[in-house]
Amino acid sequence: MNAPHSPLPVTFADVQAAAKRLAGVAHRTPVLTSRTADALTGAQLFFKCENLQRMGAFKFRGAYNALSRFTPAQRAGGAIAYSSGNHAQGVALSAKLLGMKAVIVMPQDAPSLKIAATREYGAEVVLYDRRRESREAIGRSIAAERGMTLVPPFDHADVIAGQGTAALELLEDTGPLDALVVCVGGAGLISGCALAAERLAPACHVIGVEPEAGNDVQRSLASGERVMIELPETIADGAQTQQVGELTFPIVRALVDEIATVTDAQLVRTMRFFAERMKLVVEPTGCLAAAAVLERVLPLAGRRVGVILSGGNIDAERYARLLLEYAETR
Ligand SMILES: *Cc1c(COP(=O)(O)O)cnc(C)c1O
C-alpha cells in the first residue's frame, strides 16, 4: 500500500460510472483458473480474459466510455484516433455502436488483421510511416480540418476510467487479492485498474509489466520524470509506447507498487502455454503480465494473484510463425 497521495485526475467514482455505461454493451469477460499455472508458480492465479472482450481487447472499454460521453456537437463530428491497433478497433466499434463517424490513423506496418478489422467496423483508415511521421500531428490536423474529436489511446480521463472496469469486475468476482499484475504500454489500463484495486482491495500490490526493450515507465518511476525512449523493438506491438502519459504518470506513481519487465522469448513461451494448456489465443502484448508470473520473474508463491490477459488480436500467420520459431530454437 502506498502513502496517501494528492487528488488524482481520475477517481474510483469515474470507474464505477464507466461500468454503468458499459453494462450490457461490453462483455463481462470470464475469470479463468488453471491448476497447471498454479502448480508452476505456487500461487493461486485468476486470469481476467480480456482477449475475449468485444473486438478482442480491453481497449473497447475505454473507447466506448469516452465516446459515450461526447456532447451532441462532438457526436455529429465523430471520433478520430491514432493507434497501432486495438485502440483503433475499440474506437471504430464504439463509433459504429453509437452511430458516429470514425477516422483511425494507423502505422503502415500495423498487423494486417488489425487494419482489416478497423475497416470492417466502418472506420476510415489513414496510414502513416511510424519512423518518419508523427501520428499526433496527423491526428491533430485531421481533427481540426474535419471537426472530429481526438480520443487518445491512454492519456484521457474517460479512457482510463473505462479500462479500470476490467479490474473492477475481476475484484468483484475474486474478492480481495494479494497482487494484481497488469501489462503496461502508456499505462491507461494499469491506472484504471489501480484505482479499482485501491478501493476494492487496499492491501493488493499492483504490479505493472513492460517489455524489457521498452521499459520507459520503469525508468520514469526511478527518475521521477516521464522518460522518453526510442521506439522499442519488441513483439509486444501494443506496448511500443515511447513515453508514459501526463495523466497516467501521477496515477502510476501514487498507486503502482512495482514495474517488472519480460523478454520477447518469455512472451512467446507464455503464448504457447495459453494455447496448449488453457486453449486461449493471447497476443504477445496480452501476455506481458502473465509472462512475469508464469516465468517467475515475480515471486508470488502462496499469494492470490489477479492477472490481466489484455488482448488476443494476432494474425494466424504471425501467431503460427512465433510459436514455430520458438519451437525450433527451444
Ligand atoms: C493497448 C494495449 C496494452 C497497453 O495498454 P496501456 O493502457 O497503453 O498501458 C496492453 N495490451 C494490449 C493487448 C493492448 O492493446
Side-chain angles (χ1 to χ4, degrees):
M1 195 52 212
N2 293 281
H5 49 77
S6 47
L8 295 172
V10 189
T11 67
F12 178 67
D14 296 328
V15 178
Q16 285 179 305
K20 284 217 179 79
R21 289 181 202 108
L22 288 167
V25 184
H27 292 319
R28 187 174 183 111
T29 51
V31 176
L32 298 186
T33 58
S34 156
R35 281 167 198 252
T36 311
D38 287 0
L40 227 119
T41 57
Q44 196 181 352
L45 304 176
F46 301 92
F47 297 102
K48 176 67 171 167
C49 294
E50 287 297 299
N51 56 320
L52 304 177
Q53 184 51 266
R54 286 187 83 166
M55 57 63 42
F58 72 91
K59 290 267 186 3
F60 177 66
R61 296 175 182 270
Y64 188 87
N65 187 49
L67 267 62
S68 61
R69 297 206 63 204
F70 276 16
T71 63
Q74 287 177 308
R75 282 186 188 234
I80 176 163
Y82 47 79
S83 164
S84 63
N86 286 332
H87 176 62
Q89 289 176 66
V91 169
L93 174 58
S94 300
K96 185 175 160 179
L97 294 172
L98 293 163
M100 294 180 215
K101 271 182 293 186
V103 168
I104 309 294
V105 182
M106 296 181 94
Q108 282 159 356
D109 61 343
S112 61
L113 179 83
K114 292 183 178 178
I115 296 177
T118 304
R119 289 200 172 113
E120 274 163 31
Y121 288 130
E124 178 187 337
V125 174
V126 176
L127 297 173
Y128 77 102
D129 178 346
R130 69 164 122 195
R131 289 176 195 281
R132 261 176 233 123
E133 298 172 284
S134 149
R135 63 183 192 173
E136 288 84 358
I138 295 172
R140 271 195 302 268
S141 80
I142 297 176
E145 277 164 28
R146 304 201 202 169
M148 303 186 103
T149 300
L150 187 68
V151 182
F154 51 85
D155 216 17
H156 186 291
D158 297 331
V159 172
I160 294 167
Q163 317 305 32
T165 61
L168 181 78
E169 290 175 7
L170 172 62
L171 287 161
E172 280 172 359
D173 287 0
T174 62
L177 294 169
D178 301 313
L180 177 64
V181 190
V182 185
C183 45
V184 174
L189 177 63
I190 196 170
S191 292
C193 289
L195 287 162
E198 184 196 27
R199 179 64 63 92
L200 299 177
C204 180
H205 255 66
V206 179
I207 304 167
V209 184
E210 287 184 295
E212 191 179 86
N215 67 335
D216 62 295
V217 179
Q218 190 180 52
R219 287 166 56 184
S220 299
L221 281 181
S223 75
E225 278 169 26
R226 295 162 58 227
V227 171
M228 169 84 113
I229 61 167
E230 294 282 298
L231 188 72
E233 293 286 346
T234 169
I235 59 170
D237 53 83
Q240 283 180 310
T241 34
Q242 292 174 261
Q243 191 180 35
V244 65
E246 265 175 65
L247 295 181
T248 56
F249 189 47
I251 302 176
V252 169
R253 274 177 97 167
L255 302 179
V256 173
D257 295 280
E258 179 187 349
I259 303 275
T261 62
V262 297
T263 63
D264 282 1
Q266 289 175 316
L267 290 177
V268 176
R269 279 201 292 273
T270 303
M271 281 170 59
R272 190 181 184 99
F273 175 89
F274 284 122
E276 290 179 344
R277 301 303 182 120
M278 293 181 73
K279 321 306 159 199
L280 291 174
V281 175
V282 188
E283 64 181 278
T285 317
C287 286
L288 280 166
V293 175
L294 297 174
E295 295 280 323
R296 282 154 289 171
V297 172
L298 298 166
L300 294 165
R303 311 279 202 87
R304 282 166 51 85
V305 182
V307 181
I308 302 214
L309 306 187
S310 56
N313 289 327
I314 181 163
D315 300 42
E317 288 76 15
R318 180 160 179 254
Y319 188 66
R321 192 163 21 83
L322 285 173
L323 294 187
L324 206 60
E325 277 167 12
Y326 163 76
E328 280 161 4
T329 57
R330 173 152 72 160

